[in-house]
Amino acid sequence: MIGVIDTDGECAEWAFPAEPGAVRTARHAVRGTLRSWGLDSVGDVTVLLVSELVTNSLRYASGPIGVRLVRRNPAVPDLAGGPALLVEVSDPLPDPPRERIAKPDDEGGRGLHLVAVSARRWGTRHGKTGKTVWFELALPGE
């Protein structure tokens, strides 16, 4: 994966070809993993945000799209505070995405805004051959 950082906790990652079925396959993989980790409470929002970010990568990238989930270890102190799910979507394009305000009749342009308003924090980072867009969701009840 592009720009992967070391993390402490449970981890799952995939690489999907830049093909139309990648979004659906990513949704199923993410939902299945969250279910196996007992994190159904954040399943819907996580799947929605992953779908948006994979769609953005698919729209602009021609190479593989990486998706990585990390359930941060609650015993390890975190700068943002509390247990969290870190989600990363990587692609080979170096240009970071830009958040924009979509007009009511626009067909696109809402993905990063959804990430910004749904996640505890989010951002982008460059790798050697592309970029990673990441977001973090608080895990309730841990």
Side-chain angles (χ1 to χ4, degrees):
M1 291 211 17
I2 299 162
V4 169
I5 57 173
D6 289 333
T7 54
D8 188 14
E10 292 178 87
C11 181
E13 60 186 88
W14 307 269
F16 302 104
E19 298 172 352
V23 177
R24 182 182 67 247
T25 305
R27 281 194 306 256
H28 288 293
V30 167
R31 186 164 309 275
T33 298
L34 293 177
R35 189 170 290 132
S36 74
W37 289 350
L39 297 178
D40 288 326
S41 63
V42 295
D44 289 341
V45 69
T46 305
V47 167
L48 171 65
L49 300 181
V50 166
S51 293
E52 292 294 333
L53 293 178
V54 171
T55 298
N56 283 350
S57 290
L58 186 59
R59 176 174 285 164
Y60 301 108
S62 59
I65 300 165
V67 176
R68 182 173 184 239
L69 304 179
V70 179
R71 180 183 190 176
R72 293 240 170 109
N73 184 342
V76 176
D78 182 272
L79 293 176
L85 177 69
L86 172 66
V87 180
E88 300 173 318
V89 176
S90 303
D91 65 49
L93 287 177
D95 301 325
R98 284 177 286 203
E99 184 180 358
R100 66 182 181 98
I101 304 301
K103 296 177 185 146
D105 57 344
D106 286 349
E107 289 187 23
R110 292 173 182 81
L112 283 180
H113 181 70
L114 284 172
V115 171
V117 300
S118 302
R120 174 164 75 181
R121 58 188 185 152
W122 74 281
T124 62
R125 68 177 176 276
H126 292 286
K128 291 180 183 176
T129 60
K131 66 164 172 320
T132 298
V133 179
W134 61 270
F135 64 88
E136 190 174 82
L137 299 172
L139 295 178
E142 288 195 2

